[in-house]
Amino acid sequence: SPATASLLWSESVAAEVFVFFVVGPGLVKRLTPAGALATAALAGMLRWAVAAQTTDVIALGLVQPLHGITFAVLHLPCMRLIARIVPQGLEGTAQAIYGTVGIGAATALLTIVSGALYARFRAGGYWMMAAAGRLAVALFWPDVPGDRAAHRLNQLAHSIRRRLGADDLITGAVELRLNPDRTLEVPSDFGDAG
């Protein structure tokens, strides 16, 4: 219901604020940027895996605070990296690019993709979101050699293909891509309100 969705959304925003001001700074200080990114990805994996398996409000309410980790623990190290690697005087420009492309454009694109995935696979589309988190863990986990990360990526692609029963959903072996012919099919009644 709209009331339940509003409550869950409010819970995620409150968790985000809590992580930004209470938990996040200390956590990011103890972890490397790669470790913080991997932690955010792990939280996302858990959150979306639960959403893929249940609509139980209590279960969703228990994992909704993970949004605070998936967003804030991702955002805080990005800000630290910008402060560390961007030349003095260009910090504002770098933050604007990050906010516009890294947050704004990425969110818009992923919202469209996730809507199409949900339209096609229903709750199974959340497995793709969990898989994106798994991919990030494979890529950002501290001290993972490149060949092991590539192997994990290959295993992840195979698992996604098998779980969704869609062998052609992800194309490629070395450079993975979503097959737009499969993932961006939106039913003609997708936008109908009734």
Side-chain angles (χ1 to χ4, degrees):
S1 75
T4 302
S6 295
L7 180 64
L8 291 172
W9 186 272
S10 299
E11 184 184 8
S12 69
V13 172
E16 183 180 311
V17 170
F18 180 77
V19 172
F20 266 125
F21 291 105
V22 179
V23 178
L27 184 63
V28 171
K29 191 179 282 186
R30 282 189 295 277
L31 300 172
T32 64
L37 294 172
T39 300
L42 285 168
M45 284 174 53
L46 177 59
R47 183 175 174 213
W48 297 125
V50 169
Q53 297 177 68
T54 185
T55 57
D56 180 72
V57 176
I58 293 172
L60 295 175
L62 290 172
V63 297
Q64 197 66 5
L66 292 174
H67 171 77
I69 296 172
T70 58
F71 182 75
V73 175
L74 170 68
H75 183 72
L76 289 170
C78 289
M79 291 292 99
R80 287 187 182 210
L81 286 171
I82 286 173
R84 187 183 314 155
I85 65 176
V86 172
Q88 189 172 0
L90 294 176
E91 299 94 339
T93 302
Q95 287 181 4
I97 292 169
Y98 165 72
T100 303
V101 177
I103 296 175
T107 299
L109 175 65
L110 292 173
T111 298
I112 291 167
V113 170
S114 64
L117 285 170
Y118 189 83
R120 181 163 182 92
F121 298 108
R122 298 291 178 224
Y126 289 121
W127 285 117
M128 288 293 295
M129 292 149 75
R134 177 65 178 95
L135 171 61
V137 170
L139 297 175
F140 293 113
W141 193 262
D143 303 323
V144 174
D147 58 336
R148 280 186 52 207
H151 178 70
R152 288 178 182 176
L153 178 61
N154 222 357
Q155 287 179 317
L156 173 64
H158 175 73
S159 174
I160 293 168
R161 289 178 182 125
R162 187 175 38 91
R163 181 170 290 266
L164 293 177
D167 292 338
D168 62 341
L169 182 65
I170 299 173
T171 62
V174 176
E175 185 174 308
L176 299 180
R177 293 197 165 121
L178 289 176
N179 182 347
D181 295 332
R182 290 279 293 166
T183 58
L184 298 180
E185 294 174 11
V186 178
S188 60
D189 63 346
F190 182 67
D192 293 347

